[in-house]
Amino acid sequence: MNWGSLHNFLAMGGYALYVWGSYGVTALCIGVELWSLARRARRAQKGA
Amino acid sequence: MTIDSYRLQGEPGIRGWLLFRFAAPQAFYPLAGRMIPWFGALATLLAAAGLYISFFVAPTDAQQGEAYRIIFIHVAAAWMSMFLYVVMACWAALGLVLNTRLSGMMASAIAPTGAMFTFIALWSGALWGKPTWGTWWVWDARLTSELILLFLYFGFMALTNAIEDSRRADRAGAVLAIVGVINIPIIYFSVQWWNTLHQGASVSLTRAPSMAMTMLTGMLLMALAAWMYSIAVVLARVRSIILERERDAEWVRGLRGVE
């Protein structure tokens, strides 16, 4: 798949909101999960 | 140390058996720690390859244009949401039958990640439904049963968190998890049993997939990445749960360098 330009890639053929909305929220979920896991591990190791 | 752990470690016949040896949280804790980086690295590599194929190799869909690219995240998340529930229920059932401490901890460690994938499946489904069906949501069998799956995860977490005694919480949660398994075949077969807006399975074991090879490859890579990610994250969470529940045990105190 050759997008030609970054603009075309980001535009996703007019479906940018839907495609990037899906991938963005997924990335956000993973980020939040990893952050909360790291916080929980720190607390558990301290014995709090 | 609880009575159970003494019993497990005290029986020489069981002790030598690998499965049972690592069923002791004390033995599983360092093992899980050693496995996490490997599964994390695998997840990263598979996701990178999967995303590359999803966006730069797979062609535009003839009917849906670029909107179909949501499939790579949607299917992986939906598969994981169901698969993790079954694994969670298996651990819960194992805990009920064998009364091993680690089983309940594993079930508790899986629930939040399962709920996360269920949410992602619903969210990406809504964002995919809008441009292709013209609606964010319909109360049809597939979507409704997936929503029930999310509530089952939430119910399991709320129930186990509400009960103070962790062993009792495990047993109560296990009953809920096992009863809820009935929902999994309902989700899976809903597109065949009922007239629904949701399309049937694109991939099946019995017939050739109804999609381009590159699309299928991207989807499978993303699914594998989600799988490896789940293992890494669940192992990390179960380590914290072990420390939280066994905070007064000799070995945990030694780990913290207390005394």
Side-chain angles (χ1 to χ4, degrees), chain B residues 124-156:
Chain B
S124 59
L127 283 172
W128 197 5
K130 187 63 182 168
T132 50
W133 299 341
T135 177
W136 303 103
W137 180 263
V138 281
W139 291 102
D140 94 339
R142 172 55 70 80
L143 281 70
T144 308
S145 52
E146 182 76 9
L147 184 64
I148 290 172
L149 182 67
L150 185 65
F151 293 151
L152 279 171
Y153 278 120
F154 285 161
F156 177 87

Short mmCIF file of all heavy atoms in Angstrom, two decimals, chain B residues 124-156:
data_model
loop_
_atom_site.label_atom_id
_atom_site.label_comp_id
_atom_site.label_asym_id
_atom_site.label_seq_id
_atom_site.Cartn_x
_atom_site.Cartn_y
_atom_site.Cartn_z
N SER B 124 -13.87 -0.06 19.15
CA SER B 124 -13.47 -0.08 17.73
C SER B 124 -14.65 -0.55 16.88
O SER B 124 -14.79 -0.12 15.73
CB SER B 124 -12.25 -0.98 17.52
OG SER B 124 -12.53 -2.30 17.95
N GLY B 125 -15.50 -1.39 17.46
CA GLY B 125 -16.69 -1.83 16.74
C GLY B 125 -17.65 -0.67 16.48
O GLY B 125 -18.21 -0.55 15.38
N ALA B 126 -17.80 0.19 17.47
CA ALA B 126 -18.68 1.35 17.31
C ALA B 126 -18.12 2.28 16.23
O ALA B 126 -18.85 2.78 15.37
CB ALA B 126 -18.82 2.10 18.64
N LEU B 127 -16.79 2.50 16.28
CA LEU B 127 -16.16 3.39 15.31
C LEU B 127 -16.14 2.78 13.91
O LEU B 127 -15.97 3.47 12.91
CB LEU B 127 -14.73 3.72 15.75
CG LEU B 127 -14.62 4.75 16.87
CD1 LEU B 127 -13.20 4.85 17.36
CD2 LEU B 127 -15.09 6.11 16.39
N TRP B 128 -16.28 1.49 13.84
CA TRP B 128 -16.34 0.82 12.54
C TRP B 128 -17.78 0.77 12.06
O TRP B 128 -18.08 0.85 10.86
CB TRP B 128 -15.78 -0.59 12.68
CG TRP B 128 -15.41 -1.24 11.40
CD1 TRP B 128 -15.44 -0.68 10.15
CD2 TRP B 128 -14.95 -2.57 11.23
NE1 TRP B 128 -15.03 -1.60 9.21
CE2 TRP B 128 -14.72 -2.76 9.85
CE3 TRP B 128 -14.70 -3.64 12.10
CZ2 TRP B 128 -14.26 -3.97 9.33
CZ3 TRP B 128 -14.24 -4.84 11.58
CH2 TRP B 128 -14.02 -4.99 10.22
N GLY B 129 -18.70 0.63 12.99
CA GLY B 129 -20.11 0.54 12.64
C GLY B 129 -20.65 1.84 12.05
O GLY B 129 -21.45 1.83 11.13
N LYS B 130 -20.19 2.96 12.59
CA LYS B 130 -20.70 4.26 12.13
C LYS B 130 -20.52 4.46 10.63
O LYS B 130 -21.50 4.71 9.92
CB LYS B 130 -20.04 5.39 12.94
CG LYS B 130 -20.63 6.77 12.68
CD LYS B 130 -22.09 6.85 13.09
CE LYS B 130 -22.65 8.22 12.75
NZ LYS B 130 -24.12 8.24 12.87
N PRO B 131 -19.29 4.33 10.09
CA PRO B 131 -19.15 4.56 8.64
C PRO B 131 -19.70 3.41 7.78
O PRO B 131 -20.06 3.65 6.63
CB PRO B 131 -17.63 4.71 8.44
CG PRO B 131 -17.02 4.03 9.60
CD PRO B 131 -17.98 4.16 10.75
N THR B 132 -19.78 2.19 8.30
CA THR B 132 -20.21 1.09 7.44
C THR B 132 -21.69 0.74 7.60
O THR B 132 -22.36 0.40 6.64
CB THR B 132 -19.36 -0.18 7.71
OG1 THR B 132 -19.34 -0.42 9.11
CG2 THR B 132 -17.96 -0.01 7.21
N TRP B 133 -22.22 0.81 8.83
CA TRP B 133 -23.64 0.50 9.05
C TRP B 133 -24.48 1.76 9.19
O TRP B 133 -25.71 1.69 9.15
CB TRP B 133 -23.85 -0.31 10.33
CG TRP B 133 -23.17 -1.64 10.40
CD1 TRP B 133 -22.70 -2.36 9.34
CD2 TRP B 133 -22.89 -2.40 11.57
NE1 TRP B 133 -22.14 -3.54 9.78
CE2 TRP B 133 -22.25 -3.59 11.15
CE3 TRP B 133 -23.12 -2.21 12.93
CZ2 TRP B 133 -21.83 -4.57 12.04
CZ3 TRP B 133 -22.70 -3.19 13.82
CH2 TRP B 133 -22.07 -4.35 13.37
N GLY B 134 -23.80 2.87 9.47
CA GLY B 134 -24.52 4.12 9.68
C GLY B 134 -24.96 4.30 11.12
O GLY B 134 -25.74 5.21 11.43
N THR B 135 -24.48 3.46 12.03
CA THR B 135 -24.85 3.63 13.44
C THR B 135 -23.71 3.18 14.34
O THR B 135 -22.95 2.27 14.00
CB THR B 135 -26.12 2.83 13.77
OG1 THR B 135 -26.40 2.97 15.16
CG2 THR B 135 -25.96 1.35 13.46
N TRP B 136 -23.59 3.86 15.50
CA TRP B 136 -22.54 3.49 16.46
C TRP B 136 -22.87 2.17 17.14
O TRP B 136 -22.00 1.41 17.50
CB TRP B 136 -22.40 4.56 17.55
CG TRP B 136 -22.12 5.94 17.07
CD1 TRP B 136 -23.01 6.97 16.98
CD2 TRP B 136 -20.86 6.47 16.63
NE1 TRP B 136 -22.39 8.11 16.51
CE2 TRP B 136 -21.07 7.81 16.29
CE3 TRP B 136 -19.58 5.93 16.48
CZ2 TRP B 136 -20.05 8.64 15.82
CZ3 TRP B 136 -18.56 6.74 16.02
CH2 TRP B 136 -18.82 8.08 15.68
N TRP B 137 -24.16 1.97 17.36
CA TRP B 137 -24.56 0.84 18.21
C TRP B 137 -25.92 0.32 17.79
O TRP B 137 -26.81 1.10 17.44
CB TRP B 137 -24.62 1.31 19.67
CG TRP B 137 -25.01 0.21 20.61
CD1 TRP B 137 -26.26 -0.03 21.09
CD2 TRP B 137 -24.17 -0.81 21.14
NE1 TRP B 137 -26.24 -1.15 21.89
CE2 TRP B 137 -24.97 -1.64 21.95
CE3 TRP B 137 -22.80 -1.10 21.00
CZ2 TRP B 137 -24.46 -2.75 22.61
CZ3 TRP B 137 -22.29 -2.19 21.68
CH2 TRP B 137 -23.12 -3.00 22.48
N VAL B 138 -26.10 -0.99 17.82
CA VAL B 138 -27.43 -1.59 17.69
C VAL B 138 -27.54 -2.67 18.75
O VAL B 138 -26.54 -3.28 19.14
CB VAL B 138 -27.69 -2.23 16.30
CG1 VAL B 138 -28.04 -1.18 15.27
CG2 VAL B 138 -26.51 -3.07 15.86
N TRP B 139 -28.75 -2.89 19.22
CA TRP B 139 -28.93 -3.95 20.23
C TRP B 139 -29.11 -5.29 19.52
O TRP B 139 -30.14 -5.92 19.63
CB TRP B 139 -30.12 -3.63 21.12
CG TRP B 139 -29.85 -2.47 22.02
CD1 TRP B 139 -30.28 -1.20 21.86
CD2 TRP B 139 -29.05 -2.48 23.21
NE1 TRP B 139 -29.80 -0.40 22.88
CE2 TRP B 139 -29.05 -1.17 23.72
CE3 TRP B 139 -28.32 -3.47 23.90
CZ2 TRP B 139 -28.35 -0.81 24.88
CZ3 TRP B 139 -27.63 -3.12 25.04
CH2 TRP B 139 -27.65 -1.80 25.52
N ASP B 140 -28.10 -5.70 18.80
CA ASP B 140 -28.22 -7.01 18.18
C ASP B 140 -27.41 -8.04 18.97
O ASP B 140 -26.69 -7.72 19.90
CB ASP B 140 -27.88 -6.94 16.68
CG ASP B 140 -26.44 -7.27 16.38
OD1 ASP B 140 -25.60 -7.17 17.28
OD2 ASP B 140 -26.16 -7.62 15.22
N ALA B 141 -27.57 -9.31 18.62
CA ALA B 141 -27.07 -10.40 19.47
C ALA B 141 -25.57 -10.32 19.72
O ALA B 141 -25.10 -10.44 20.85
CB ALA B 141 -27.44 -11.74 18.84
N ARG B 142 -24.78 -10.08 18.66
CA ARG B 142 -23.33 -10.06 18.80
C ARG B 142 -22.89 -8.93 19.71
O ARG B 142 -22.10 -9.12 20.64
CB ARG B 142 -22.68 -9.96 17.42
CG ARG B 142 -21.19 -9.75 17.36
CD ARG B 142 -20.36 -10.76 18.10
NE ARG B 142 -20.27 -12.11 17.60
CZ ARG B 142 -19.48 -12.53 16.61
NH1 ARG B 142 -18.75 -11.69 15.93
NH2 ARG B 142 -19.41 -13.80 16.30
N LEU B 143 -23.42 -7.73 19.46
CA LEU B 143 -22.99 -6.56 20.24
C LEU B 143 -23.46 -6.65 21.68
O LEU B 143 -22.71 -6.34 22.61
CB LEU B 143 -23.51 -5.27 19.58
CG LEU B 143 -22.75 -4.76 18.36
CD1 LEU B 143 -22.94 -5.67 17.17
CD2 LEU B 143 -23.16 -3.36 18.02
N THR B 144 -24.68 -7.09 21.86
CA THR B 144 -25.24 -7.17 23.22
C THR B 144 -24.50 -8.21 24.06
O THR B 144 -24.16 -7.96 25.22
CB THR B 144 -26.74 -7.50 23.17
OG1 THR B 144 -27.38 -6.58 22.29
CG2 THR B 144 -27.37 -7.40 24.54
N SER B 145 -24.21 -9.38 23.46
CA SER B 145 -23.53 -10.42 24.24
C SER B 145 -22.10 -10.00 24.57
O SER B 145 -21.56 -10.35 25.62
CB SER B 145 -23.56 -11.76 23.51
OG SER B 145 -23.09 -11.64 22.19
N GLU B 146 -21.47 -9.22 23.68
CA GLU B 146 -20.12 -8.71 23.97
C GLU B 146 -20.18 -7.68 25.11
O GLU B 146 -19.30 -7.63 25.95
CB GLU B 146 -19.49 -8.10 22.72
CG GLU B 146 -18.05 -7.58 22.89
CD GLU B 146 -16.99 -8.69 22.92
OE1 GLU B 146 -17.33 -9.85 22.65
OE2 GLU B 146 -15.83 -8.37 23.25
N LEU B 147 -21.25 -6.89 25.13
CA LEU B 147 -21.43 -5.93 26.22
C LEU B 147 -21.64 -6.66 27.55
O LEU B 147 -21.11 -6.26 28.59
CB LEU B 147 -22.61 -5.01 25.93
CG LEU B 147 -22.86 -3.88 26.94
CD1 LEU B 147 -21.70 -2.89 26.95
CD2 LEU B 147 -24.17 -3.15 26.65
N ILE B 148 -22.39 -7.77 27.49
CA ILE B 148 -22.59 -8.59 28.69
C ILE B 148 -21.24 -9.14 29.18
O ILE B 148 -20.99 -9.20 30.38
CB ILE B 148 -23.60 -9.73 28.41
CG1 ILE B 148 -25.00 -9.14 28.22
CG2 ILE B 148 -23.60 -10.76 29.54
CD1 ILE B 148 -26.04 -10.13 27.76
N LEU B 149 -20.37 -9.48 28.24
CA LEU B 149 -19.03 -9.96 28.61
C LEU B 149 -18.29 -8.89 29.43
O LEU B 149 -17.65 -9.20 30.44
CB LEU B 149 -18.23 -10.31 27.35
CG LEU B 149 -16.83 -10.87 27.60
CD1 LEU B 149 -16.89 -12.24 28.25
CD2 LEU B 149 -16.03 -10.96 26.31
N LEU B 150 -18.41 -7.63 28.98
CA LEU B 150 -17.77 -6.53 29.73
C LEU B 150 -18.32 -6.46 31.15
O LEU B 150 -17.57 -6.32 32.11
CB LEU B 150 -17.99 -5.21 28.99
CG LEU B 150 -17.29 -3.98 29.58
CD1 LEU B 150 -15.78 -4.12 29.49
CD2 LEU B 150 -17.73 -2.71 28.87
N PHE B 151 -19.65 -6.60 31.28
CA PHE B 151 -20.27 -6.55 32.61
C PHE B 151 -19.86 -7.76 33.46
O PHE B 151 -19.75 -7.65 34.68
CB PHE B 151 -21.79 -6.47 32.49
CG PHE B 151 -22.26 -5.16 31.90
CD1 PHE B 151 -23.45 -5.09 31.18
CD2 PHE B 151 -21.52 -4.00 32.05
CE1 PHE B 151 -23.88 -3.88 30.63
CE2 PHE B 151 -21.93 -2.81 31.50
CZ PHE B 151 -23.12 -2.74 30.78
N LEU B 152 -19.64 -8.90 32.81
CA LEU B 152 -19.18 -10.08 33.56
C LEU B 152 -17.79 -9.83 34.15
O LEU B 152 -17.52 -10.17 35.30
CB LEU B 152 -19.16 -11.31 32.65
CG LEU B 152 -20.50 -12.01 32.42
CD1 LEU B 152 -20.37 -13.06 31.32
CD2 LEU B 152 -20.99 -12.67 33.70
N TYR B 153 -16.91 -9.23 33.33
CA TYR B 153 -15.58 -8.88 33.84
C TYR B 153 -15.70 -7.90 35.01
O TYR B 153 -15.08 -8.06 36.05
CB TYR B 153 -14.72 -8.25 32.74
CG TYR B 153 -14.04 -9.23 31.82
CD1 TYR B 153 -14.30 -9.21 30.45
CD2 TYR B 153 -13.12 -10.15 32.30
CE1 TYR B 153 -13.66 -10.09 29.58
CE2 TYR B 153 -12.47 -11.03 31.44
CZ TYR B 153 -12.75 -11.00 30.09
OH TYR B 153 -12.10 -11.87 29.24
N PHE B 154 -16.52 -6.84 34.83
CA PHE B 154 -16.70 -5.85 35.88
C PHE B 154 -17.29 -6.50 37.14
O PHE B 154 -16.87 -6.21 38.26
CB PHE B 154 -17.62 -4.71 35.41
CG PHE B 154 -16.95 -3.75 34.47
CD1 PHE B 154 -17.71 -2.92 33.65
CD2 PHE B 154 -15.56 -3.67 34.39
CE1 PHE B 154 -17.10 -2.02 32.77
CE2 PHE B 154 -14.94 -2.78 33.51
CZ PHE B 154 -15.72 -1.97 32.70
N GLY B 155 -18.28 -7.38 36.91
CA GLY B 155 -18.90 -8.06 38.04
C GLY B 155 -17.91 -8.90 38.81
O GLY B 155 -17.89 -8.89 40.05
N PHE B 156 -17.07 -9.62 38.08
CA PHE B 156 -16.05 -10.45 38.71
C PHE B 156 -15.10 -9.59 39.56
O PHE B 156 -14.81 -9.91 40.71
CB PHE B 156 -15.26 -11.21 37.64
CG PHE B 156 -14.13 -12.04 38.20
CD1 PHE B 156 -14.35 -13.34 38.63
CD2 PHE B 156 -12.84 -11.53 38.29
CE1 PHE B 156 -13.31 -14.10 39.15
CE2 PHE B 156 -11.80 -12.29 38.81
CZ PHE B 156 -12.04 -13.57 39.24
#
